[in-house]
Amino acid sequence: MGLGFNGGQLLALAIGGCFCNDLRYVAEEMGVTLDKIAVTVTLNLEGKPLLATSSTMAVSCTTLDGSDPAEIITRAAAISTVSNSLRQGVSVSIETAATTAGLSEE
């Protein structure tokens, strides 16, 4: 029915959401208050089955004091868990959970 997010949308959300949090953490560490933040993530999918092949994040933010936010963005990029994990490659394993419902020991 088209309700809810698909995996690609959630991956893009994880990339952008993590980065937004990191922007706030870095700004606080630097003693700067952010005013507006806008982050757009474009996720490219290819193949069958679909695989994420690349992503681009467009970041715009302003500070309350009017200072240049470039250093905040650079530092946030350096510590962003999701982006850096994807960039390095993350091993994913899938295990079937054992179920014990209805089993009894005799």
Side-chain angles (χ1 to χ4, degrees):
M1 294 178 52
L3 300 175
F5 297 104
N6 66 37
Q9 290 167 327
L10 289 171
L11 180 57
L13 181 61
I15 293 168
C18 181
F19 189 79
C20 285
N21 284 338
D22 293 329
L23 278 174
R24 294 186 187 282
Y25 296 144
V26 169
E28 184 176 323
E29 287 175 4
M30 294 175 65
V32 177
T33 303
L34 296 178
D35 184 23
K36 296 178 183 177
I37 298 173
V39 174
T40 303
V41 177
T42 301
L43 185 67
N44 296 306
L45 303 169
E46 295 180 19
K48 204 166 193 172
L50 281 175
L51 299 175
T53 57
S54 65
S55 68
T56 303
M57 188 167 22
V59 180
S60 173
C61 69
T62 59
T63 61
L64 281 180
D65 65 6
S67 61
D68 184 357
E71 181 65 20
I72 297 168
I73 294 169
T74 299
R75 288 187 187 187
I79 66 166
S80 188
T81 302
V82 175
S83 295
N84 289 327
S85 296
L86 290 172
R87 206 174 283 119
Q88 294 297 317
V90 176
S91 174
V92 176
S93 60
I94 299 173
E95 299 176 356
T96 301
T99 59
T100 57
L103 299 178
S104 63
E105 291 183 23
E106 297 190 36

